Amino acid sequence: MKKAVYPGSFDPATNGHIDIIRRSAKQVEHLVVAVLNNINKHSLLSVDERVDLLKELTSDLPNVTIKSFSGLLIDFVAIEKAEVIIRGFRAISDYEHEIQMAQMNHQLDPTIETLFLVTRNEYSFLSSSVVKEIAKFGGDVSGVVDPKTALILKRKYSESEGLK
Ligand code: PNS
């Protein structure tokens, strides 16, 4: 059995991400969920908020660890001594970006495989961007993220409204 890394922005983690974590945790010995700390990209949730939320949501999974990383994913995978990268695959729109990342990561380190888990039907439309867009305009996101995340999104967007 392998050690795997499931990387992402998780800004915020959706129910679709959590489903991929739960399903891949059953397939590997240890899963490290790697939250990208990208200083060049503005994220709604801080890296600590994203890590803490994921820790709470996966606290019942003993073989899952949540960490943050910056820089190249492949370097983080090497530090973790993992052999596999996990990615969720939703629809054909994911194809180009995912293939590019998998092939580039393979180019950088041919010993690392990228494995794709096909997203369950009910999450195939779901993305962090769509969740943020709905939350921004006061829509109900309780069916697609956990209650605490929904609350944090609501608070963040009402704070930014208050600043206008
Ligand atoms: O959730 P996302 O935003 O689709 O995740 C993208 C992520 C974090 C997996 C990707 O941007 C990444 O690996 N970034 C780290 C920098 C890197 O290694 N880039 C080269 C990949 S080809």
Side-chain angles (χ1 to χ4, degrees):
M1 287 277 260
K2 308 250 179 204
K3 183 173 183 182
V5 169
Y6 175 39
S9 304
F10 304 108
D11 184 39
T14 67
N15 289 349
H17 290 123
I18 302 302
D19 183 58
I20 297 288
I21 293 172
R22 290 186 177 280
R23 287 165 55 205
S24 44
K26 286 185 195 157
Q27 304 300 326
V28 296
E29 199 171 312
H30 196 92
L31 180 72
V32 178
V33 180
V35 179
L36 178 64
N37 186 7
N38 188 350
I39 44 165
N40 298 316
K41 193 175 152 190
H42 171 77
S43 57
L44 181 67
L45 276 67
S46 72
V47 71
D48 289 342
E49 285 174 316
R50 287 177 277 152
V51 165
D52 288 348
L53 279 168
L54 279 161
K55 278 184 179 168
E56 274 188 51
L57 294 170
T58 58
S59 60
D60 61 316
L61 300 173
N63 66 333
V64 173
T65 310
I66 316 295
K67 294 187 178 178
S68 65
F69 79 105
S70 51
L72 281 181
L73 171 62
I74 211 74
D75 292 339
F76 178 78
V77 171
I79 291 165
E80 288 297 316
K81 295 186 172 56
E83 299 125 296
V84 168
I85 295 168
I86 304 269
R87 291 287 287 171
F89 199 94
R90 287 168 301 188
I92 197 70
S93 48
D94 279 341
Y95 184 83
E96 203 168 318
H97 181 55
E98 292 301 333
I99 295 295
Q100 186 183 40
M101 282 200 297
Q103 289 178 341
M104 194 46 77
N105 285 327
H106 184 259
Q107 174 82 25
L108 292 170
D109 185 345
T111 67
I112 305 297
E113 287 291 353
T114 300
L115 300 184
F116 292 100
L117 262 71
V118 175
T119 302
R120 297 283 188 233
N121 251 350
E122 60 266 44
Y123 306 123
S124 57
F125 64 93
L126 190 53
S127 71
S128 302
S129 316
V130 163
V131 168
K132 282 184 279 192
E133 175 123 337
I134 295 169
K136 187 176 180 178
F137 295 110
D140 180 14
V141 293
S142 61
V144 289
V145 295
D146 74 288
K148 191 163 179 190
T149 303
L151 209 67
I152 290 175
L153 291 179
K154 199 171 175 180
R155 205 187 58 221
K156 294 243 174 206
Y157 284 120
S158 56
E159 274 168 10
S160 65
E161 267 303 303
L163 291 175
K164 281 180 189 166

